[in-house]
Amino acid sequence: MATATPPAPAPAPALGLAERPLLRLATAGSVDDGKSTLIGRLLLDAKLLLSDTLDALPRASADGRPDLAAITDGLRAEREQGITIDVAYRYFATPRRSFIVADTPGHERYTRNMVTGASTAELAIVLIDARRGIVEQSRRHAYLASLLGIRHLVAAVNKMDLVGWEEARFRAIEAEFLALAGRLGVPAPLAIPMSALEGDNVVEPGRASAAWYAGPPLLAHLEAVDVEEELHAGPLRLPVQWTIRPRDASDEGRRYAGQVAGGTLRAGDEVVVLPAGTRTTVTSVATHDGELPEATPPLSVSVALADDLDVARGDLLAAVDAPPSVGR
């Protein structure tokens, strides 16, 4: 029996640049499954590439089509070997959302680089070659993404044009992926059939051969997915990355800078400093632009504390009523 495809979400309204929510995402999956090509297609079909950038791309075949993978594969070794080695970051924006995408390598040898790229992501796109299905590296990257706390997984079942857009083939991969995501505790995973090379279901819906799929194209899903709940969820966690000492008598006391990793931080909150276990109160939360009423992940802030404590790089400011366990 075919699995029911979720309906396409309602399009989000167009927003001003400053109002557009930010989504950090990473590509994952095995080598040669089409991660770099997918990012190139996403940028091309969303009309986010300048004409001179497009003209400078090498041609991938005799028909003169640009090699979309070359947009992110910038190292000489990557171009020579035809694989991604380092993490490539790209920023782009649509009328509804801003994105930072990390194109990560699929080769097992460079798994550590995949972890680096996915470490700040809120959504992971796991590329799956429709001919090979879910392989060991697909499972490994999905597991690592869930281990990093990524709560949104999308299976991009790529190269569907090479299997004749067979719905039965896609449904088999979809069922296996949903079962994998269920074991990992990932809520609401999604599988999308596509052809990154041809552009089907990346930005625009697929052609007539993919008419059996009624769900959203990849970009529509990325624009609509809600990550705000995860950003505010959980107890407060602020790892201290830098101590800002006063330069002269006019400066206020020490401030402690870091990136909020969980919860919501406000002036007046009581926090515990770990591993020392001392308690104090936050008197100020600010960025370079000034004071903030509150801060949530992944915002980088500096805070002032009511007490003069020995707080150093590597310490953690946490919620008093829900501190993490401390061990060696």
Side-chain angles (χ1 to χ4, degrees):
M1 181 180 295
T3 305
T5 301
L15 300 171
L17 186 59
E19 300 172 324
R20 296 174 199 174
L22 174 66
L23 177 66
R24 300 171 184 266
L25 61 129
T27 59
S30 187
V31 66
D32 289 335
D33 282 353
K35 294 181 294 299
S36 298
T37 301
L38 174 63
I39 299 304
R41 172 60 66 183
L42 192 64
L43 296 175
L44 177 65
D45 286 4
K47 298 178 174 56
L48 299 170
L49 289 178
L50 298 176
S51 58
D52 55 348
T53 301
L54 194 59
D55 293 340
L57 292 176
R59 302 294 130 173
S61 57
D63 60 7
R65 289 189 299 184
D67 182 3
L68 298 177
I71 295 172
T72 55
D73 290 342
L75 298 178
R76 178 190 297 177
E78 292 176 323
R79 296 192 297 268
E80 291 175 350
Q81 299 179 45
I83 63 173
T84 301
I85 296 174
D86 200 4
V87 182
Y89 293 94
R90 290 292 180 272
Y91 169 84
F92 67 96
T94 68
R96 301 180 179 92
R97 197 163 209 165
S98 298
F99 302 90
I100 297 176
V101 55
D103 182 29
T104 73
H107 197 286
E108 183 177 354
R109 179 180 178 185
Y110 305 111
T111 299
R112 64 187 183 275
N113 292 353
M114 175 269 169
V115 174
T116 299
S119 62
T120 57
E122 297 147 358
L123 180 146
I125 304 171
V126 182
L127 270 288
I128 299 170
D129 189 324
R131 299 168 299 176
R132 299 187 297 162
I134 297 177
V135 297
E136 180 182 0
Q137 194 70 337
S138 312
R139 295 186 182 91
R140 179 181 287 114
H141 281 191
Y143 173 78
L144 290 172
S146 69
L147 193 64
L148 291 166
I150 297 176
R151 310 303 296 161
H152 299 274
L153 286 183
V154 177
V157 184
N158 193 25
K159 305 185 183 182
M160 284 294 298
D161 53 310
L162 300 183
V163 296
W165 286 95
E166 295 179 5
E167 182 179 4
R169 180 57 180 158
F170 168 73
R171 296 302 180 189
I173 296 173
E174 179 187 41
E176 187 178 357
F177 174 75
L178 296 182
L180 172 63
R183 292 194 298 271
L184 296 175
V186 176
L190 177 67
I192 302 176
M194 66 177 60
S195 170
L197 186 62
E198 301 294 336
D200 296 277
N201 284 332
V202 178
V203 173
E204 300 295 335
R207 59 197 77 186
S209 52
W212 46 263
Y213 174 72
L218 177 62
L219 183 59
H221 176 68
L222 296 180
E223 288 182 325
V225 67
D226 183 12
V227 297
E228 290 298 317
E229 184 177 349
E230 286 84 359
L231 293 180
H232 295 267
L236 172 66
R237 300 289 186 265
L238 176 63
V240 177
Q241 296 171 309
W242 196 254
T243 299
I244 305 172
R245 295 175 173 83
R247 290 173 295 180
D248 52 53
S250 63
D251 285 351
E252 57 183 85
R254 294 186 179 189
R255 300 187 69 91
Y256 307 97
Q259 186 180 52
V260 182
T264 302
L265 179 65
R266 302 179 181 88
D269 286 350
E270 186 180 13
V271 296
V272 58
V273 181
L274 298 173
T278 52
R279 295 189 178 192
T280 185
T281 302
V282 175
T283 60
S284 169
V285 181
T287 65
H288 181 71
D289 296 323
E291 297 281 333
L292 296 177
E294 65 178 32
T296 57
L299 192 62
S300 294
V301 298
S302 69
V303 301
L305 303 177
D307 302 294
D308 187 13
L309 303 177
D310 182 16
V311 181
R313 182 176 182 177
D315 289 349
L316 178 73
L317 304 184
V320 170
D321 56 350
S325 58
V326 179
R328 295 179 64 86

